[in-house]
Amino acid sequence: MGQTDMTLIEKCNIHSSCIMVNQCDRNETVFEDRDYGNVRMISTTERGLSRSRNMALKSASADVCILCDDDIVYVEGYEHIVESAFNELSDADIIVFNVNSKNTDIRPQEVLFKRVKRIPKYKMYSSVHIAFKRKSIEKAGLSFDTRFGAGSGCYAMGEDSIFFSRAHRSGLKAYVYPAVIADLYSEKSTWQRGYDEKFYYDEGAFLQAAFPYMKYFFSLYYPVRHRKHLKLSPVNCLKWIWRGIDGFKEGKTYNDFAADQKNRTNQKELYERKRK
């Protein structure tokens, strides 16, 4: 957001053709030819992480694409690692690579892959790990759900996982590959307020979108996973997840639900005053 030039490309150590979507207060596209390829900065007044990714997907023309966030720094030779992996796994539509977390206080280091393995249909990964064949994604009609993700105004997270779950349902072949392509320098989240009511409401919406038939089963995972950080009791955690599931079906965000609750409270108080 708010970039005035393309220096972010150097910061991320990108040495391949790329598209940078820059959310700001103007609409323009700037092109540059570089030794390693073409770079483009699309500046837009649109907001929302998923919208930016969809804009990049729509503008892409390469055979293989990598999703990048602005806190990623690629290792030297990453482009050759990715190319070699797709040559080795010729049937792969998606390959998930290792990424080293450098700020483990914010984002703990994930377990690194040690061998090539087909990804199970329930397993999903964040975008910074992912490379894919563009035509496979286009043929499957995949895009990021603009209701999810930072800046969406609806549900704060889950866009990566929904994208991955839809790729699974489309029958795309996905593998993990035991090579590091980047370092991740995580900063404090712009949306994460802690494990509160909104967090679990949004998780419920995510579960409904990603796992419409297994949502209640997977909801049981969250009170266990977050047991050390829960602000709510396990029972209330589940209640808010299930409210998010129902709310998503009705097209209601957490703010919509809170407004409905406030209106009901006001109406009840008005009714009680009239009775008195």
Side-chain angles (χ1 to χ4, degrees):
M1 296 187 70
Q3 300 297 305
T4 57
D5 55 33
M6 298 191 191
T7 54
L8 184 61
I9 293 173
E10 284 75 38
K11 177 187 172 186
C12 293
N13 198 36
I14 293 172
H15 291 99
S16 53
S17 295
C18 73
I19 297 168
M20 181 171 73
V21 179
N22 174 38
Q23 295 183 5
C24 57
D25 59 359
R26 65 188 185 279
N27 291 297
E28 67 176 14
T29 302
V30 178
F31 299 86
E32 283 186 15
D33 289 323
R34 301 192 176 184
D35 293 341
Y36 52 75
N38 304 311
V39 298
R40 187 186 328 174
M41 182 169 74
I42 302 173
S43 294
T44 177
T45 55
E46 285 192 355
R47 293 294 181 265
L49 178 60
S50 291
R51 286 187 174 87
S52 285
R53 288 183 175 159
N54 287 340
M55 190 176 292
L57 283 171
K58 187 177 180 180
S59 302
S61 59
D63 293 333
V64 172
C65 300
I66 310 173
L67 293 170
C68 177
D69 287 343
D70 60 6
D71 52 4
I72 278 287
V73 176
Y74 287 102
V75 301
E76 292 297 330
Y78 72 90
E79 66 274 27
H80 304 301
I81 295 172
V82 173
E83 183 178 8
S84 296
F86 275 96
N87 287 335
E88 180 182 338
L89 301 171
S90 58
D91 65 331
D93 299 298
I94 299 171
I95 298 179
V96 174
F97 294 90
N98 285 321
V99 171
N100 282 327
S101 293
K102 293 299 185 180
N103 190 345
T104 55
D105 291 337
I106 294 177
R107 183 170 176 157
Q109 176 64 54
E110 296 171 307
V111 176
L112 298 178
F113 317 125
K114 298 187 183 302
R115 60 187 177 88
V116 172
K117 187 170 63 173
R118 185 79 179 266
I119 298 175
K121 289 191 175 182
Y122 65 85
K123 189 69 175 174
M124 294 161 293
Y125 296 91
S126 61
S127 61
V128 296
H129 295 270
I130 299 171
F132 56 83
K133 290 178 179 174
R134 178 179 56 84
K135 289 184 179 179
S136 296
I137 298 301
E138 289 180 351
K139 186 176 180 180
L142 296 180
S143 62
F144 286 89
D145 193 322
T146 56
R147 295 169 294 182
F148 292 83
S152 67
C154 297
Y155 311 106
M157 69 287 191
E159 75 288 346
D160 298 341
S161 296
I162 292 170
F163 181 86
F164 220 107
S165 70
R166 291 174 179 172
H168 283 316
R169 291 204 295 270
S170 297
L172 299 186
K173 294 181 179 179
Y175 295 85
V176 296
Y177 194 86
V180 174
I181 60 168
D183 295 325
L184 175 60
Y185 292 85
S186 298
E187 297 179 358
K188 189 174 181 180
S189 173
T190 58
W191 59 265
Q192 173 62 280
R193 307 182 308 179
Y195 299 106
D196 57 6
E197 295 171 351
K198 184 182 188 308
F199 176 88
Y200 289 110
Y201 187 97
D202 288 358
E203 285 289 0
F206 155 70
L207 289 175
Q208 176 61 38
F211 305 107
Y213 303 110
M214 296 288 289
K215 52 186 179 281
Y216 291 111
F217 174 77
F218 284 124
S219 71
L220 301 174
Y221 163 76
Y222 291 93
V224 176
R225 179 185 177 186
H226 299 153
R227 61 189 180 278
K228 295 181 180 179
H229 308 286
L230 284 178
K231 292 184 177 181
L232 312 175
S233 69
V235 171
N236 278 331
C237 167
L238 287 174
K239 282 183 178 178
W240 279 102
I241 291 174
W242 296 341
R243 284 169 179 167
I245 289 171
D246 293 337
F248 182 76
K249 293 177 186 177
E250 299 170 8
K252 291 183 178 180
T253 66
Y254 172 83
N255 290 337
D256 295 330
F257 180 87
D260 288 347
Q261 291 292 98
K262 185 176 181 180
N263 287 335
R264 290 193 187 99
T265 300
N266 290 341
Q267 289 173 2
K268 184 177 180 180
E269 289 176 353
L270 180 61
Y271 174 74
E272 292 296 330
R273 286 200 297 270
K274 286 182 177 180
R275 285 188 62 190
K276 293 178 180 178

